Amino acid sequence: MMDHTVKAFDNDIGRLRGLISQMGGLAEEAIANAIKALQRSDLELARKVREDDKAIDLIEAEVERLAVRTIALRAPMANDLREVVAALKIASVVERIGDYAKNIAKRVPMIESEDRIEPVSILPAMAKIASAMVHDVLDAFAARDAEAAIRVRDSDNALDDFYDSIFRTLVTHMVENPKTIGQVAHLLFIAKNLERIGDHATNVAEMVYFAATGTQMGERDRGGTLPS
Amino acid sequence: MMDHTVKAFDNDIGRLRGLISQMGGLAEEAIANAIKALQRSDLELARKVREDDKAIDLIEAEVERLAVRTIALRAPMANDLREVVAALKIASVVERIGDYAKNIAKRVPMIESEDRIEPVSILPAMAKIASAMVHDVLDAFAARDAEAAIRVRDSDNALDDFYDSIFRTLVTHMVENPKTIGQVAHLLFIAKNLERIGDHATNVAEMVYFAATGTQMGERDRGGTLPS
């Protein structure tokens, strides 16, 4: 590439990183707010999470436009192309993470506040792990840190084990309190959404690793015993 | 574009369409086999669905390489660029549809054959609608048929209503047969996976519409009353 093309490319990639970091911040906030809304039966906050998701979708569309434009105009090679394609794919995964948070928020009105069910209290700890994975993996992307990406992937095992344990707790709760089954089913889906957020952070970790090293991350032994 | 570039572009887009149609066929087959495995408690077939999913992932990677190469080498404009970006995004959604089928297959061993639960019998009809949506939307992509894409999106309402009804049936079954709760919870997730397949087919319908017309499909009233 000519010098001015190199500079233009560096600007583009810098802007892509900035947009993804912004999306990641919004996704983390969405997870935190969705769980807070659930704990407090705060329908207004749940509505806000659903509304705020549009901002994430808009940034994803912007990343897509910019990435395609960068590939078409700067024709980057090897390492640089890998970086732009990673940005494109990571934006799409972060958008999905935002959707999971939105799906959690949508269930808040279905869990009545009159008759609070005790297992709600075990979800925030799981949400913290999921949210930290999202945070850490986007830091790893910003720093092109392949080792940090491996650590994120490994922490998904803890989340899977957590999900297994919550699944069992919720089913036991259903058996012992049949009148809460409808509501606890929604909690099952919320736990599942958190587990999927961890899976997606793991996918991003694999993309970060590949963008930084040009090789695939090795296989891992998946935590938990339940399917995704 | 110069003549030989136009021809090269047409070849590329033809190959992209072919790969996506191939992925779609595999995804449809995966849905059908996963549900057949569930009905028959066929662990071998369930294992095959999980194994076959790797072929879908490989084709997605091939679409990604070819799409990025096409953008970089042929520098397509407007309509053509929209088509290539659509192919890239549709491949990623079809890969996710394959994952949902795989997730259904993973639950087959958790639903014991000794003690078959009656609600299993209501899932195949739902799977048929979901699978038909995947089929029809990829036909719409191949034919650049915006009207067909709208019909796919509209049929998602029927799937959402079906899911609502299954959700209620399964919860009622849990209440009346508490000892089956653990297994019926897996059926809930399977129904949810089918509903998500319909959502993803709808996303593809929106992409097909945009690729064909250059404008966004209008909003719709979503069917069903339960969150995604």
Side-chain angles (χ1 to χ4, degrees), chain A residues 60 64 68 71-72 75-76 81 85 88-89 92 95-96 99-100 103-104 106-107 110 163 167 170-171 174-175 178-179 181-182 185-186 188-189 192-193 196 200 222 225-228, chain B residues 60 64 68 71-72 75-76 81 85 88-89 92 95-96 99-100 103-104 106-107 110 163 167 170-171 174-175 178-179 181-182 185-186 188-189 192-193 196 200 222 225-228:
Chain A
E60 192 213 353
E64 188 186 303
V68 167
I71 296 171
L81 180 57
V85 172
L88 190 63
K89 297 179 73 164
S92 144
E95 188 270 332
R96 282 149 79 179
D99 274 354
Y100 284 112
N103 290 346
I104 292 173
K106 282 187 188 166
R107 289 186 191 275
M110 315 217 156
Y163 171 70
F167 181 88
L170 292 178
V171 168
M174 283 172 158
V175 173
K179 75 180 165 51
I181 284 176
H186 290 298
L188 265 183
F189 282 116
K192 183 80 223 168
N193 281 333
R196 294 293 291 160
H200 283 101
R222 195 171 172 282
T225 58
L226 294 168
S228 285
Chain B
E60 192 214 354
E64 187 186 303
V68 167
I71 296 170
L81 180 58
V85 172
L88 189 64
K89 296 178 74 164
S92 143
E95 187 270 330
R96 282 149 76 178
D99 274 352
Y100 284 112
N103 290 345
I104 292 173
K106 282 187 188 167
R107 289 186 191 276
M110 315 217 155
Y163 171 70
F167 181 88
L170 292 178
V171 168
M174 284 173 158
V175 173
K179 76 180 166 49
I181 285 175
H186 290 298
L188 264 184
F189 283 115
K192 183 81 225 168
N193 281 333
R196 294 294 291 162
H200 283 102
R222 195 172 173 282
T225 57
L226 293 167
S228 286

Side-chain angles (χ1 to χ4, degrees), chain B residues 1 4-20 62-63 65-76 80 83-84 87-88 141:
Chain B
M1 287 190 275
H4 70 270
T5 312
V6 172
K7 184 139 187 295
F9 177 80
D10 288 347
N11 283 344
D12 285 354
I13 199 84
R15 232 180 107 211
L16 283 171
R17 285 171 186 283
L19 288 168
I20 284 175
E62 178 63 23
V63 169
R65 267 192 302 273
L66 181 56
V68 167
R69 195 171 150 275
T70 304
I71 296 170
L73 293 186
R74 324 277 181 227
D80 287 341
E83 186 90 9
V84 178
L88 189 64
F141 174 64

Side-chain angles (χ1 to χ4, degrees), chain B residues 35-49:
Chain B
I35 293 293
K36 201 183 287 174
L38 176 69
Q39 282 178 284
R40 301 180 182 169
S41 294
D42 185 339
L43 300 189
E44 183 49 37
L45 185 57
R47 200 201 50 74
K48 183 176 148 42
V49 172

